[in-house]
Amino acid sequence: MNYLKNKLELEENGFSILTDLYSDNEVSQILNCIENTEQDENSFMKSKDLFAIRQLIKSVPKISSLLFNEKLIELTSQLFKENYFLTKAIYFDKPSESNWFVPFHQDLSISVNKKVELENYSNWTFKKGFYGVQPPLKILQDTITVRIHLDKTDRYNGALKVIPKSHSNGIIRVESTDLNSENEFICNIDKGGAMLMKPLTLHSSNRTTNGKKRRVIHLEFNKHYLDKPLSWSEYYKIS
């Protein structure tokens, strides 16, 4: 497969959409792997509104060989000129009865191993046993997100809306920015497809109106090691 077009779209617009990254059978294997894993760790979060698994590959080790199929390995080899590695893997399941809205935002936090006061690392958080921090801008600019869709997703079940090219404006104070809804693009993605995104791309999702699920695996890749003594809380080398 040639993913040059997707790479160019990602750099220019801040996002790109892929189809057929996984077959129906591969999607079923991924879901079965998740469903057959014991859910007794802090990484598993379940409520009426959301089921999520943080540190997915650590929590469900068998899933790595299913995720990194031939197409994903080929995609990453074409996207990354240098030695990128996985820094975050989360599984999201938005149940059919869940109906929450996510306003426009940028993904400004990374997951790290500890809290250390360092220059250019700010806005620390600690949730469910995990530290998050806003890193230097260059790290965010060089992050690439791959969102793998395990269900067909459209405007009726919370597909992401993005503002094309917004990633080129650096960190944006969303509350003081006049967002032009005419520039919104709704990312309809088929089951087994994926969305590539820069974390500085403004994105949002509406409430679900058709009662259908939106199960997504969110992967983040980077090439930078953090300033010592900080390190990524997740690290998975791409084979």
Side-chain angles (χ1 to χ4, degrees):
M1 296 285 293
N2 188 337
Y3 296 107
L4 177 59
K5 176 176 176 287
N6 301 102
K7 182 176 181 178
L8 294 174
E9 286 178 349
L10 176 65
E11 293 298 328
E12 180 178 354
N13 296 320
F15 73 100
S16 182
I17 294 173
L18 297 165
T19 58
D20 300 324
L21 198 62
Y22 297 87
S23 67
D24 285 350
N25 182 53
E26 287 174 320
V27 170
S28 295
Q29 290 182 60
I30 290 169
L31 290 171
N32 287 337
C33 184
I34 292 171
E35 291 164 3
N36 292 325
T37 299
E38 290 188 22
Q39 301 173 12
D40 56 357
E41 300 180 25
N42 291 335
S43 298
F44 291 80
M45 299 172 290
K46 194 166 188 177
S47 70
K48 66 181 180 64
D49 290 322
L50 178 69
F51 172 50
I53 308 174
R54 292 179 181 269
Q55 298 198 340
L56 178 62
I57 291 178
K58 286 185 179 180
S59 303
V60 189
K62 292 181 180 178
I63 205 168
S64 61
S65 61
L66 301 175
L67 288 180
F68 285 89
N69 66 359
E70 184 177 337
K71 288 185 177 180
L72 183 59
I73 291 173
E74 179 64 24
L75 169 66
T76 55
S77 71
Q78 293 185 36
L79 283 179
F80 309 141
K81 293 180 180 178
E82 302 177 56
N83 292 324
Y84 271 68
F85 46 86
L86 182 72
T87 62
K88 184 181 289 186
I90 308 177
Y91 168 75
F92 292 106
D93 177 358
K94 190 175 180 182
S96 56
E97 64 271 18
S98 175
N99 199 25
W100 37 269
F101 162 78
V102 180
F104 274 106
H105 66 284
Q106 297 171 304
D107 291 338
L108 301 179
S109 183
I110 62 171
S111 298
V112 295
N113 62 326
K114 64 174 79 172
K115 182 176 181 179
V116 182
E117 295 302 326
L118 287 173
E119 188 178 359
N120 297 320
Y121 289 80
S122 60
N123 299 325
W124 286 90
T125 60
F126 185 71
K127 298 177 182 178
K128 303 289 185 180
F130 298 97
Y131 287 102
V133 68
Q134 183 175 319
L137 180 60
K138 181 63 174 172
I139 290 176
L140 295 174
Q141 290 173 329
D142 288 339
T143 298
I144 293 179
T145 299
V146 180
R147 292 171 53 89
I148 300 163
H149 284 249
L150 306 177
D151 298 291
K152 178 180 172 60
T153 309
D154 56 30
R155 68 173 67 235
Y156 303 110
N157 66 329
L160 281 192
K161 299 187 299 181
V162 300
I163 305 293
K165 304 183 188 299
S166 54
H167 68 298
S168 60
N169 297 321
I171 295 174
I172 300 169
R173 290 177 59 92
V174 178
E175 66 277 5
S176 60
T177 301
D178 184 18
L179 298 177
N180 186 350
S181 61
E182 293 180 1
N183 293 333
E184 291 179 1
F185 182 87
I186 299 174
C187 299
N188 297 320
I189 302 176
D190 289 332
K191 174 182 176 181
M195 176 183 178
L196 309 179
M197 189 175 71
K198 294 280 193 173
L200 294 179
T201 301
L202 285 167
H203 56 286
S204 163
S205 64
N206 286 337
R207 293 178 173 86
T208 297
T209 59
N210 64 2
K212 293 184 178 180
K213 284 190 173 187
R214 185 194 67 177
R215 291 170 292 187
V216 173
I217 292 178
H218 176 107
L219 305 177
E220 292 183 12
F221 298 88
N222 211 296
K223 63 181 179 181
H224 298 288
Y225 291 95
L226 306 178
D227 294 314
K228 294 181 179 180
L230 271 190
S231 63
W232 299 97
S233 65
E234 296 174 69
Y235 175 92
Y236 183 84
K237 186 168 181 172
I238 308 168
S239 29

